[in-house]
């Protein structure tokens, strides 16, 4: 068997039995859609959707100096994360470029789980392993230890309550607690990438099918549908959430990406990239970098990543993500544009779509915010 053959999640046979269109994503064979991606998107916004996210990369960090290691290796202040809570953060190169954006869960006093994007999991694992030198901490590759299932959308709390006795009402956003789901052990996290309320369930691969089936049985009567990666992308785009390789790259620092708030200079000790990031912060104050904005099409043509944003015949930016928005009913995009053109309502901005300058409205992100 070729080493280039795609990896399969524990739910692979189930996806095929449901008629999913499969695609290679970061070396994994993943469901792109089961039927209409628009219907899947709308289900998550109005009812609920079920996702297999087992391609994500779980890395466990344990030991007396686990927190110190993570504070050194990442840009956030991980030492202040309470047990049972999670934090969004980033891992950067020495030059400040973003290697990946991450969620770190504190599972116990000296135990953390770092969740990396599928495409960067090995890079993050390698970087953490190198950066662990000199710390009394162990970095463990746990990618094969977990399947990850997400239930997202306004009906998701009720659906999950039907198959767990965990205290979901007491579970805050960006928190996680151990419990049982459909009778099997799970880490239940109130996190997601859709802009909706929802949960991500870390379970043993052998238990994944049982959990998926239980959620399907509980959710189908209230409109839950299985969802692929295609609608996950349009959901996160509407919610203004960055995607690595699009809004975040090694050529951008968190300050260039408008996410300087995740960098915590006030934490104890040095961290990888600190000097470069202090320079980037100071540069951003004096000479604002391009700003990540939302663009809404006045016409029907869909902008794609890499297309130029134009004004007055000049290139003023670049589209990083674009798609039709089922919620807005028009094409939308995220783009980095010169600060002078970044204010919502800025007139005369367009996207160069195959030589034609299509008019776009500049808006603040996100495009969509759920009602609390």
């Amino acid at each position: 068997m070729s080493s280039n053959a795609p990896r399969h999640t524990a739910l692979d046979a189930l996806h095929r039995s449901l008629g999913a269109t499969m695609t290679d994503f970061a070396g994994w064979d993943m469901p792109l859609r089961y039927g209409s991606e628009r219907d899947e998107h709308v289900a998550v916004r109005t009812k609920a959707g079920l996702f297999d996210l087992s391609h994500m990369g779980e890395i466990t960090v344990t030991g007396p100096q686990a927190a110190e290691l993570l504070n050194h290796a990442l840009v956030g202040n991980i030492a202040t994360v309470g047990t049972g809570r999670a934090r969004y953060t980033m891992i950067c190169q020495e030059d400040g470029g973003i290697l990946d954006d991450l969620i770190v869960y504190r599972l116990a006093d000296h135990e953390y789980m770092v969740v990396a994007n599928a495409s960067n999991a090995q890079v993050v694992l390698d970087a953490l392993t190198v950066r662990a030198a000199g710390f009394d901490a162990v970095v463990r590759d746990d990618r094969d230890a977990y399947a990850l299932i997400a239930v997202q959308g306004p009906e998701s709390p009720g659906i999950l309550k039907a198959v767990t006795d965990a205290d979901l009402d007491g579970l805050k956003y960006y928190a996680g607690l151990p419990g049982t789901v459909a009778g099997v052990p799970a880490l239940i996290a109130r996190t997601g990438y859709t802009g909706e309320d929802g949960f991500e369930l870390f379970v043993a691969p052998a238990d994944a099918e049982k959990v998926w089936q239980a959620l399907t049985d509980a959710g189908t009567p209230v409109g839950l549908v299985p969802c692929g990666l295609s609608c996950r992308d349009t959901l996160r785009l509407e919610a203004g959430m960055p995607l690595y390789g699009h809004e975040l790259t090694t050529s951008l620092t968190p300050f260039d990406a408008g996410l300087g708030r995740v960098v915590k200079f006030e934490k104890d000790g040095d961290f990888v990239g600190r000097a470069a990031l202090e320079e980037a912060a100071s540069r951003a104050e004096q000479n604002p970098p391009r700003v990540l904005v939302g663009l809404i099409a006045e016409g029907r043509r869909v902008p794609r990543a890499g297309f130029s944003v134009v004004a007055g015949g000049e290139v003023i930016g670049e589209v990083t993500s674009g798609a039709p928005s089922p919620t807005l009913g028009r094409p939308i995009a995220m783009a980095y544009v010169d600060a002078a053109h970044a204010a919502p309502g800025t007139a005369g901005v367009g996207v160069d779509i195959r030589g034609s300058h299509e008019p776009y409205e500049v808006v603040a992100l996100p495009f969509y915010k759920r009602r609390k």
Side-chain angles (χ1 to χ4, degrees):
M1 188 173 168
S2 154
S3 61
N4 295 330
R7 298 181 68 181
H8 298 281
T9 77
L11 294 165
D12 185 74
L14 193 145
H15 299 317
R16 291 169 198 279
S17 75
L18 292 171
T21 299
M22 306 296 284
T23 188
D24 179 11
F25 184 85
W28 290 81
D29 218 5
M30 297 297 293
L32 190 62
R33 70 182 74 80
Y34 297 84
S36 150
E37 56 204 51
R38 187 183 184 284
D39 290 351
E40 292 171 23
H41 180 113
V42 171
V44 176
R45 286 276 177 260
T46 59
K47 297 181 176 97
L50 193 57
F51 296 83
D52 178 10
L53 306 178
S54 302
H55 61 316
M56 300 294 280
E58 296 87 6
I59 301 160
T60 304
V61 181
T62 56
Q65 290 189 305
E68 289 88 339
L69 161 58
L70 290 170
N71 263 11
H72 164 72
L74 312 179
V75 301
N77 192 349
I78 307 307
T80 59
V81 179
T83 301
R85 298 308 301 263
R87 183 158 298 164
Y88 176 78
T89 187
M90 294 182 184
I91 183 167
C92 289
Q93 301 178 146
E94 199 65 69
D95 67 1
I98 302 166
L99 277 175
D100 201 13
D101 61 335
L102 311 164
I103 295 180
V104 179
Y105 297 89
R106 187 172 192 167
L107 304 181
D109 274 0
H110 303 300
E111 183 180 2
Y112 296 81
M113 182 166 68
V114 177
V115 181
N117 285 296
S119 54
N120 294 329
Q122 190 64 47
V123 169
V124 173
L125 176 67
D126 292 345
L128 287 174
T129 303
V130 168
R131 295 173 190 189
F135 290 92
D136 187 1
V138 175
V139 175
R140 187 174 74 230
D141 180 359
D142 268 350
R143 284 176 287 180
D144 292 337
Y146 292 105
L148 179 56
I149 295 171
V151 55
Q152 299 277 301
E155 297 284 354
S156 57
I159 293 167
L160 188 53
K161 276 178 187 173
V163 296
T164 184
D165 54 7
D167 175 20
L168 299 186
D169 293 334
L171 187 64
K172 297 186 173 75
Y173 187 52
Y174 264 71
L177 86 170
T180 56
V181 175
V184 304
L187 172 67
I188 303 166
R190 200 164 205 152
T191 46
Y193 195 48
T194 62
E196 297 299 335
D197 190 12
F199 303 87
E200 294 182 317
L201 310 171
F202 296 85
V203 300
D207 293 330
E209 214 165 297
K210 183 178 183 185
V211 171
W212 180 282
Q213 204 52 57
L215 290 165
T216 298
D217 293 345
T220 301
V222 292
L224 172 105
V225 300
C227 292
L229 293 182
S230 189
C231 82
R232 180 170 148 93
D233 191 47
T234 52
L235 289 159
R236 71 91 196 166
L237 176 55
E238 288 184 350
M241 294 177 169
L243 174 63
Y244 195 88
H246 289 254
E247 289 72 40
L248 309 174
T249 68
T250 50
S251 62
L252 296 171
T253 72
F255 295 95
D256 297 321
L259 290 165
R261 65 181 180 276
V262 305
V263 181
K264 303 300 181 190
F265 293 120
E266 72 279 8
K267 65 181 174 176
D268 292 339
D270 196 14
F271 62 91
V272 177
R274 180 179 197 125
L277 289 168
E278 282 173 343
E279 269 179 44
S282 153
R283 201 166 54 240
E285 268 179 36
Q286 283 149 33
N287 181 21
R290 282 183 166 176
V291 179
L292 188 64
V293 300
L295 299 174
I296 301 179
E298 292 181 19
R300 310 302 308 168
R301 297 184 74 184
V302 179
R304 297 296 181 193
F307 285 13
S308 294
V309 183
V310 292
E314 301 287 315
V315 173
I316 57 146
E318 186 176 298
V319 171
T320 53
S321 297
S325 164
T327 305
L328 277 63
R330 288 153 75 189
I332 59 172
M334 287 201 277
Y336 282 110
V337 302
D338 294 345
H341 298 273
T346 300
V349 172
V351 175
D352 185 338
I353 300 183
R354 296 180 187 86
S356 165
H357 291 187
E358 301 287 327
Y360 274 73
E361 180 190 354
V362 179
V363 299
L365 292 168
F367 299 97
Y368 166 85
K369 232 181 187 159
R370 72 181 172 95
R371 293 192 191 92
K372 297 287 186 210

